[in-house]
Amino acid sequence: MIQSFKSLSMKHYTLLGFYSLGLLHWYLFLDYGSPEFRHEDWSFYHQLYDVIRYAFEIGEIPFHASFFASDTIENTRYGSIRYFSMPWISASPQIILLKFFSTSAFIKFQWMLFYTVACTGLYRWSKHLGLSLGASIFLWMAFCFNGTLVSKASVGHLMPLGLMLIPWWGWVLYKLIRSQDDNGIKHNSTIMLEFAFILFICFLNSELHVPYQMVFVSSWIILFYPKCWVWYLG
């Protein structure tokens, strides 16, 4: 009994250590060398967040943002000075923190927050599948330290924020498949609401690519489980 308790504690402490290592990774990646967020898409998203921060500072709704009024690549690529007409603005609840944080600090917080959400999803999978410590570490490293997230983040893409929700998207899809023999309306409706909530979180955080990929992949998987069609198609 004592040996089992020690083994369980060691697994938790080890995973907590890898989680902390990931936090340090993203913090250094976004902060090392005092970056100015001017490379590729970072300049655009930094401005988008900065408009909200400045709106909190002066106490006005940013119907028009002069940052995008000039003839720049941001203006020609994404729209006009009408701030709310652009599809990439963030409407997530945590933007209220821009009232207290600098724009750069908020970007770091945003990424570390979604990394934490991803890690909680990975832990759920590890616990449900009864993975050993070694298997859990492999799962953690394969997802959190792969080149896809870093390469996209390096050019200012917000897609990694949506990608970090994949563990929870997979968990909801797994629950739907496993419940195909459960005809309870309440149970299956709850699962679909969870699926919709994940897509909603992506859209709130300016991520428009991952949601349709989630729907596309889910549709193909559901094809092999006809009893789930009525719940997936609504």
Side-chain angles (χ1 to χ4, degrees), residues 169 195 210-223 232:
W169 161 75
F195 186 89
V210 176
Y212 86 81
Q213 294 171 352
M214 288 179 173
V215 173
F216 180 78
V217 174
S218 299
S219 300
W220 278 101
I221 294 176
I222 294 298
L223 284 177
Y232 182 70

Side-chain angles (χ1 to χ4, degrees), residues 52-181:
I52 301 175
R53 182 201 59 77
Y54 186 65
F56 280 127
E57 181 179 323
I58 64 177
E60 295 183 4
I61 300 176
F63 291 112
H64 297 82
S66 57
F67 292 113
F68 302 94
S70 60
D71 185 19
T72 63
I73 187 172
E74 287 83 7
N75 184 52
T76 55
R77 186 190 300 174
Y78 293 107
S80 66
I81 64 174
R82 293 176 175 80
Y83 184 74
F84 292 109
S85 69
M86 289 180 287
W88 305 98
I89 62 174
S90 176
S92 58
Q94 62 266 28
I95 62 172
I96 191 67
L97 294 175
L98 283 166
K99 183 176 177 65
F100 312 101
F101 292 178
S102 67
T103 304
S104 298
F106 175 78
I107 291 175
K108 299 182 190 75
F109 170 82
Q110 182 85 328
W111 284 73
M112 294 170 75
L113 172 65
F114 273 80
Y115 166 74
T116 300
V117 172
C119 287
T120 58
L122 293 175
Y123 177 75
R124 171 62 67 88
W125 275 108
S126 176
K127 184 178 180 180
H128 177 76
L129 298 176
L131 299 182
S132 65
L133 177 59
S136 299
I137 292 176
F138 177 81
L139 175 64
W140 217 280
M141 294 184 66
F143 185 86
C144 296
F145 299 101
N146 68 79
T148 298
L149 300 179
V150 174
S151 62
K152 293 183 182 301
S154 65
V155 293
H157 292 175
L158 296 188
M159 186 182 295
L161 298 182
L163 293 175
M164 289 180 185
L165 296 177
I166 284 180
W168 287 108
W169 161 75
W171 178 255
V172 172
L173 187 61
Y174 173 74
K175 287 200 302 181
L176 178 64
I177 293 173
R178 288 295 298 271
S179 65
Q180 62 175 324
D181 295 327

Side-chain angles (χ1 to χ4, degrees), residues 1 32 37 39 57 180:
M1 185 71 176
Y32 186 77
F37 296 98
H39 180 63
E57 181 179 323
Q180 62 175 324

